[in-house]
Amino acid sequence: MRTQTKILRFIGISMALITTMLLHSKMSKFSVGSPDDDTSISTDKQDKNREPSVYENIYNPEALNPFFEKLKALDSLKDRKLNIVHIGDSHVQADAMTNEVRQQMQALFGNGGLGLVFPYSLMKTNGERNVRFSSNISWESQKNTMSSNTETIGITGYSLLTTNKNFVIELSLKNKNYLFNTLKILTPKNKHFFELATSKFGVTIPPAPPTQVAYKTIAHKVQKGETLYSLSRKYNVQLSKIQSVNHLKGTNIRIGETLKIPTEKKIIEASSRERNINLQGFDLISNIDSLSGYTYRNLGGLDKVYLTPNAQNNNFALNGIVLENDQSGIIYHSIGVNGARFSDYNKCSLFFEQVPALQPDLIIVSLGTNETFGKLSAAQYDEQVRIFLQQIRTQYGDCPILLTSPPPSLFKRKIPNHLCEEYATILIDNAIKDNYGVFDLYSILGGVEAMPELIKQNFISNDRIHYTHEGYVSQGDLLFEAIKNNYLKYKKQSK
């Protein structure tokens, strides 16, 4: 992995030199002139419009100083937990890049627990790197990219739903380094939908009955300028579903081509709708603290628990589960939604309401790729960034925030995506004024000019949008090194 990271560093240094010079050139318009230039400009405005400093690939690292101060205390005293919350799209949902940062941060500062998890597999999507979920029923779901009804979509960008009162969800750890003593269940408005249980003798969870999904469709004739992505947005349907019903292997479509657009989903059970389970076979846990998500403490280092229904409810919704241990250290929460944009998070008020439940000491946001494929201008992108930051700060105050620029990608697997560079520029331009740091992943990887080398090194996948596991791990290592080195600089200067 270190060799791969060195390759990425070499690519970034050799290919991004011109990009970096252009970024500095664009930002030079904000440099403060002599006092005689315009005496009407206030000192405060001059300060906010100055060019941000950059050290070890992070622009305006001073915005992260409150986090570094807490990290310094943890480093020396070993007496607390710090929460890092990393929010993003499909680059984050797979938890490859974020898991690398998690592992390295915890190796250096201590393992405070796994953090936020969600049963992605029950929605038939990817995730769950360190945990495994199973259930005896099929669940309904909502996602912030698709749903117009966002009332139940919370901190993970997803919601798991059912009206079936005979269910169990089994949570078991794949990685035994994350035995948990504390478990927090996050639900809409903190409602007590679920009980937490263990089983002394073990429980066999019968698999959910197989389902067959049928779609009602409408016909759409492809017009000039339309893409599968724009059609998925227009009709509020997942891009993968359009591909599925039209038997498309890629994302290329032709002008004049008629596509089937799925507009309604109907689930048809291939066997009985229920596979009942005896809910009397579980030992319920009763020590609940409901101040911020209802919380179970003193669990004694578990690696498996069960969620069962609270019989007083008829409808059930799950937003996420937080796992912690009784040690000091870092908790690194990963929140990713395939296909998500800033605007998708911005429309979900419950997402922002649940941010305080994670008590973040640093928030990292990696969004922008899907905006580029939606052809949002840099100004439109910036507007959504500002809305997102405002809502975070309204709900949680001035928590340090680190934004990452989207990594290089290609339109239609061959056309350079220059919007990534435009987004990186505007993030850096506004870093001081809006008080955040920027990890410019786009330039670090070398921009679109480095695409041949990224392909050669097998760092980017065939769709030229997503990266391979090795590519994401190397990106995680680069992010960790940037945070670590900026912390060490802060620690040295604050002696």
Side-chain angles (χ1 to χ4, degrees), residues 72 155 190 193 216 220 239 255 262 278 289 317 332 335-336 350:
K72 180 183 174 184
I155 190 63
N190 199 28
F193 289 132
K216 292 182 178 180
H220 177 91
L239 185 150
I255 297 175
N278 181 11
D289 172 6
Y332 200 101
I335 300 170
L350 183 60

Side-chain angles (χ1 to χ4, degrees), residues 115-382:
L116 182 65
V117 297
F118 186 79
Y120 297 104
S121 62
L122 302 187
M123 297 177 54
K124 305 296 189 291
T125 189
N126 63 313
E128 301 178 18
R129 181 162 300 277
N130 293 292
V131 294
R132 180 181 293 106
F133 286 92
S134 60
S135 180
N136 64 311
I137 69 168
S138 296
W139 289 77
E140 297 292 328
S141 62
Q142 290 182 334
K143 178 182 179 185
N144 66 11
T145 60
M146 303 310 306
S147 181
S148 55
N149 179 10
T150 62
E151 291 183 2
T152 66
I153 300 175
I155 190 63
T156 56
Y158 289 97
S159 182
L160 201 66
L161 308 163
T162 191
T163 57
N164 188 331
K165 300 185 70 169
N166 184 268
F167 69 79
V168 62
I169 297 175
E170 180 185 272
L171 182 164
S172 61
L173 291 178
K174 298 178 187 178
N175 188 338
K176 304 304 182 183
N177 291 325
Y178 290 114
L179 299 178
F180 49 92
N181 299 78
T182 299
L183 184 147
K184 182 184 297 183
I185 300 176
L186 302 179
T187 60
K189 308 303 178 184
N190 199 28
K191 292 183 179 178
H192 187 189
F193 289 132
F194 303 93
E195 303 286 0
L196 189 69
T198 59
S199 176
K200 295 179 182 178
F201 307 105
V203 177
T204 300
I205 307 295
T211 60
Q212 178 182 351
V213 181
Y215 299 99
K216 292 182 178 180
T217 63
I218 62 173
H220 177 91
K221 190 172 183 179
V222 178
Q223 305 297 314
K224 183 178 180 180
E226 289 183 327
T227 65
L228 276 185
Y229 182 84
S230 67
L231 291 178
S232 71
R233 288 284 166 178
K234 178 178 181 178
Y235 290 103
N236 199 31
V237 63
Q238 293 180 15
L239 185 150
S240 60
K241 290 179 180 178
I242 301 177
Q243 290 175 308
S244 177
V245 297
N246 290 280
H247 307 291
L248 298 174
K249 294 183 179 180
T251 57
N252 293 333
I253 55 177
R254 301 185 307 274
I255 297 175
E257 180 181 6
T258 299
L259 297 176
K260 297 177 182 178
I261 307 295
T263 59
E264 185 177 342
K265 181 177 75 173
K266 182 179 180 182
I267 298 179
I268 305 171
E269 301 289 359
S271 59
S272 63
R273 289 191 59 83
E274 297 182 359
R275 294 195 173 174
N276 291 337
I277 191 166
N278 181 11
L279 296 174
Q280 304 303 315
F282 297 93
D283 301 311
L284 299 184
I285 301 173
S286 59
N287 53 326
I288 298 177
D289 172 6
S290 59
L291 294 177
S292 180
Y294 55 98
T295 305
Y296 299 82
R297 304 183 187 278
N298 304 314
L299 298 178
L302 297 178
D303 66 356
K304 181 183 293 187
V305 289
Y306 304 90
L307 271 63
T308 61
N310 178 344
Q312 297 180 4
N313 297 287
N314 295 313
N315 299 281
F316 305 88
L318 178 65
N319 297 130
I321 300 170
V322 181
L323 305 178
E324 300 182 16
N325 57 35
D326 57 1
Q327 303 170 19
S328 63
I330 299 292
I331 304 175
Y332 200 101
H333 307 273
S334 177
I335 300 170
V337 179
N338 293 339
R341 305 190 290 185
F342 274 105
S343 59
D344 296 312
Y345 285 99
N346 287 343
K347 69 186 180 186
C348 299
S349 60
L350 183 60
F351 167 81
F352 296 98
E353 291 171 14
Q354 290 183 339
V355 166
L358 302 183
Q359 299 179 307
D361 299 290
L362 172 66
I363 296 174
I364 304 174
V365 188
S366 299
L367 291 165
T369 293
N370 294 299
E371 282 88 342
T372 68
F373 282 82
K375 302 298 176 68
L376 263 70
S377 68
Q380 291 172 317
Y381 169 75
D382 180 56

Side-chain angles (χ1 to χ4, degrees), residues 461-480:
S461 66
N462 289 333
D463 65 8
R464 305 305 185 235
I465 303 170
H466 299 92
Y467 283 70
T468 62
H469 179 76
E470 293 78 10
Y472 283 127
V473 168
S474 294
Q475 289 176 29
D477 186 63
L478 290 168
L479 176 55
F480 164 75

Side-chain angles (χ1 to χ4, degrees), residues 7 15 40 55 144 177 208 258 296 331 347 378 398 430 456:
I7 293 172
M15 302 299 293
S40 65
Y55 181 75
N144 66 11
N177 291 325
T258 299
Y296 299 82
I331 304 175
K347 69 186 180 186
D398 290 326
N430 294 330
K456 178 181 177 182

